[in-house]
Amino acid sequence: MRRSADIDALQHVLSAALGSPDPVCSLARLDQGAGVFAALDPAVLERPTLVGGGSPYHPTSPAPARHALDELVRRAEALGVSQILVPNVRRSDDTGALRAAGLVPIATESECVVRLTGDVDEVLRSRIGAERLNGLRRRDREVSLEMTWERIRLSELDGSPWARDAFVTLHQRQADRRGGRDNLLYSADALDALAHGPLAKRTEMLVRRRQDAVVQAGLLTTSHNGRGIYSLTQAIDHDDPAARDGLLAASVYRLYLHARRSGLEWVHLGRGDVPRARRLGADLFVPLDHWLRAPGLASPGGGGAEHTLSEYAAPSVTGVPVPGPARFRQVPRFDTIDLSSNTNPFLGAAGEYPHLDTTELAATYLTTIAALPGHAGVESLSADHLLFSSGSVDGVMLLLAALASPGERVCVTPPTFPLYGHFAHLLRLPVVDVPLRGDDLSQLDADRILAADPRVTILCDPNNPVGTRLDPEQVHELVARGRGLVVIDEAYVEFSEKPSYARLIAQHDNLIVLRTLSKAWGLAGARCGIALAQPGIIEALRRVQVPFGFTNASQHAVRDRLTDVRRVLAGIQRIRTERDRMASALTEHPAVARVFPSETNFLLVRLHKHERVMDQLRGAGIVVADTGRVIPDTCRITIGDRRANTALLDALSSAL
């Protein structure tokens, strides 16, 4: 329903509900008990307002173009109305014309969408868990035994007057429970206007009856692209005992099954509470604003413009825009007809480019890690501080390309992850090696790094391949005193009991933290890395990023894993327990000279007879990382399951 013709049809329905040729009413009547306008002056709430550009019936309203707004202003002047409301505009739309016309955004609830990417039960199991899914299925079976499920085309509603009357009655009761001010939206006149308008052929009334009593009545409209369903309204008879316990959730589950059987790809649940919608399986949440022009109402400024590019951006990046479709990364396209991408429409969803609407996914990631130990302060970050990449290794390449120019120095601290230097050399960036110091290789030579005055310093913390954490005072010194950027790769930080540096992102414009979901989160195959930095740096990274590197499959896998954090935490604890067991066993093993302390999911081990032990492990079919070339006589052992770890210990004994 992103078409102007649909909006015009709903404007006619609203006028019918008001008994007026024009959609003019007070904001108080439109609020529907949500309290969105509660903070406004009472005079503004009660003043006649022209509702334009959309309708409260509509899940979202496309932001009107300048000429449409000019016409709306002229219409308000002709009617003698001083206030104008354009409701439910997606925050991702271009709202420049609205702001230029003097309208002010007022935040409202997000629209919530359930994307059906496969079998309904499999999709829901991954999103809400098996226990909650089983509860939905059980309630659906119970309801189906008690009640019928009927769908009546609105164009044929005249043949079912009982359904029309029940729909109006239930919505009136619902309005009465909310204070009686929102009954205008689904009055008999409004329903008749909808049933005899251009949307009637795409709209159905959903009715659930227990014997002859109508217990639930709602409206479903198929999207104009034929790929999904909007749930416009649902009213339930709360006086009926059968309706009190989970009827709405059971009906939503039944709606998913109906949509999937019909070949549809999504169900739009309307505006609502995001946590509640997520518990019903929603996986796309689009922030909305009402836009209001009223006497004396001041604009807060801003308005969705790109963030100012960081001063650390390379000169070659400052003169180019974000490439192609990535400029529209926050614009959801589920309810549009996309004829812009030159793809094959006849071979299924895999023929489409990945969705780029990752704002909600970014917010979900930040909310999830903010609750983890050592992440206090992360809640101050927003989606603007985050970029998803194709693995954190891709993030290294992006930041070097976007923030350094050929000839500028990159400092690394060996022993460290070798691809830092590899990518720097590819981009013609001189590499300065400043080795780690101390028995545990956890000390930085901060003075030498600062003296080198690098454009970028890349620290691996916890370190790979050693497993130790760097001295935090030395890290802070580099961030505070250095003129260049400090990049901290925290690929293994979830296994550490020391805090993440992500909490400091908002305080330092030269700090970048790289994260990955390949290690603790168990999603190496999904190829998902995360860069956390000031928005101006994130904007620079976007200008060099391949637009579609974060695939749909990866996005779905990440979203599902982030909503199952208890399983992840349990896995981390199992790895820590097994790591400690292996460290003790290896320390006592006669083939081992030393086990380095570890805050990762691996152990760096120095061997007495390095070559002989490595040959013996290969002969036993066990692969470990041979790190002997960077740290003499060592190997890096990943913590596996107990069976694999025991096999390693047995092979080590055979090496003697």
Side-chain angles (χ1 to χ4, degrees), residues 352-377:
E352 300 178 4
Y353 282 114
H355 296 286
L356 297 175
D357 48 342
T358 56
T359 301
E360 169 62 23
L361 188 59
T364 300
Y365 174 78
L366 292 170
T367 300
T368 301
I369 68 168
L372 301 180
H375 288 75

Side-chain angles (χ1 to χ4, degrees), residues 510-563:
N510 66 331
L511 176 62
I512 302 173
V513 172
L514 299 180
R515 306 287 289 258
T516 182
L517 272 73
S518 296
K519 309 302 182 182
W521 297 86
L523 288 178
R527 306 310 304 134
C528 178
I530 292 112
L532 298 172
Q534 291 279 353
I537 288 180
I538 297 299
E539 173 68 12
L541 301 185
R542 284 199 175 97
R543 297 190 184 195
V544 300
Q545 185 177 37
V546 175
F548 297 113
F550 191 24
T551 69
N552 278 340
S554 294
Q555 292 180 41
H556 291 309
V558 170
R559 183 176 290 106
D560 294 345
R561 188 56 51 86
L562 291 176
T563 56

Side-chain angles (χ1 to χ4, degrees), residues 290 330 374 467 558 650 655:
H290 296 318
Q330 295 179 338
V558 170
D650 291 343

Side-chain angles (χ1 to χ4, degrees), residues 16-343:
L18 296 168
S20 165
D22 298 292
V24 176
C25 67
S26 70
L27 296 178
R29 293 188 72 189
L30 286 177
D31 204 24
Q32 303 181 66
V36 172
F37 302 118
L40 296 176
D41 186 276
V44 175
L45 281 175
E46 298 298 337
R47 191 178 292 142
T49 304
L50 175 63
V51 183
S55 163
Y57 297 95
H58 186 43
T60 58
S61 303
R66 187 176 302 277
H67 68 86
L69 279 170
D70 290 343
E71 177 58 33
L72 193 62
V73 171
R74 286 193 292 269
R75 188 178 179 188
E77 291 173 350
L79 293 169
V81 174
S82 60
Q83 291 186 174
I84 297 174
L85 176 73
V86 179
N88 306 324
V89 176
R90 289 176 181 169
R91 206 165 289 168
S92 54
D93 284 359
D94 182 357
T95 57
L98 284 162
R99 200 175 294 278
L103 282 84
V104 173
I106 299 173
T108 185
E109 296 171 312
S110 296
E111 57 178 325
C112 307
V113 183
V114 180
R115 289 184 285 194
L116 302 173
T117 55
D119 176 78
V120 169
D121 284 357
E122 290 303 317
V123 168
L124 293 181
R125 183 176 291 108
S126 65
R127 290 186 194 159
I128 65 177
E131 182 178 355
R132 194 179 298 277
L133 170 61
N134 290 337
L136 275 179
R137 295 176 63 183
R138 181 173 58 254
R139 185 60 181 135
D140 173 60
R141 289 192 298 269
E142 294 169 352
V143 169
S144 297
L145 292 175
E146 295 183 71
M147 304 178 193
T148 59
W149 164 280
E150 303 170 60
R151 303 196 316 274
I152 303 169
R153 286 189 179 277
L154 219 58
S155 57
E156 301 170 1
L157 188 61
D158 289 344
S160 303
W162 60 270
R164 173 187 178 277
D165 294 342
F167 178 93
V168 173
T169 299
L170 287 181
H171 278 81
Q172 181 62 59
R173 291 180 185 172
Q174 180 171 276
D176 292 341
R177 283 195 302 275
R178 295 176 177 174
R181 304 205 65 166
D182 62 342
N183 60 320
L184 69 102
L185 293 183
Y186 291 104
S187 65
D189 290 339
L191 182 60
D192 289 343
L194 187 60
H196 295 95
L199 290 174
K201 292 183 178 179
R202 285 170 30 210
T203 304
E204 293 180 319
M205 181 177 290
L206 166 64
V207 178
R208 303 205 82 152
R209 285 196 287 178
R210 187 163 60 85
Q211 298 177 350
D212 292 331
V214 175
V215 181
Q216 180 183 8
L219 293 176
L220 309 173
T221 297
T222 303
S223 63
H224 79 280
N225 65 0
R227 297 173 64 177
I229 291 176
Y230 298 100
S231 178
L232 296 186
T233 181
Q234 298 290 331
I236 292 175
D237 182 3
H238 289 275
D239 294 330
D240 190 306
R244 294 175 186 167
D245 182 22
L247 174 59
L248 181 59
S251 296
V252 168
Y253 174 73
R254 178 60 49 179
L255 181 58
Y256 298 161
L257 297 176
H258 157 68
R260 194 60 187 166
R261 282 195 297 266
S262 301
L264 302 178
E265 300 171 8
W266 50 267
V267 173
H268 192 296
L269 299 179
R271 301 196 314 274
D273 177 68
V274 168
R276 180 175 178 275
R278 185 177 280 118
R279 290 194 294 271
L280 291 172
D283 69 323
L284 176 61
F285 306 94
V286 184
L288 303 177
D289 294 310
H290 296 318
W291 285 79
L292 175 66
R293 192 175 83 164
L297 192 63
S299 172
E306 294 289 358
H307 291 280
T308 302
L309 199 63
S310 170
E311 63 177 319
Y312 292 101
S316 59
V317 172
T318 60
V320 298
V322 174
R327 286 198 296 273
F328 311 106
R329 64 189 178 277
Q330 295 179 338
V331 181
R333 292 190 171 188
F334 65 94
D335 55 356
T336 59
I337 296 175
D338 185 3
L339 300 178
S340 67
S341 301
N342 301 338
T343 56

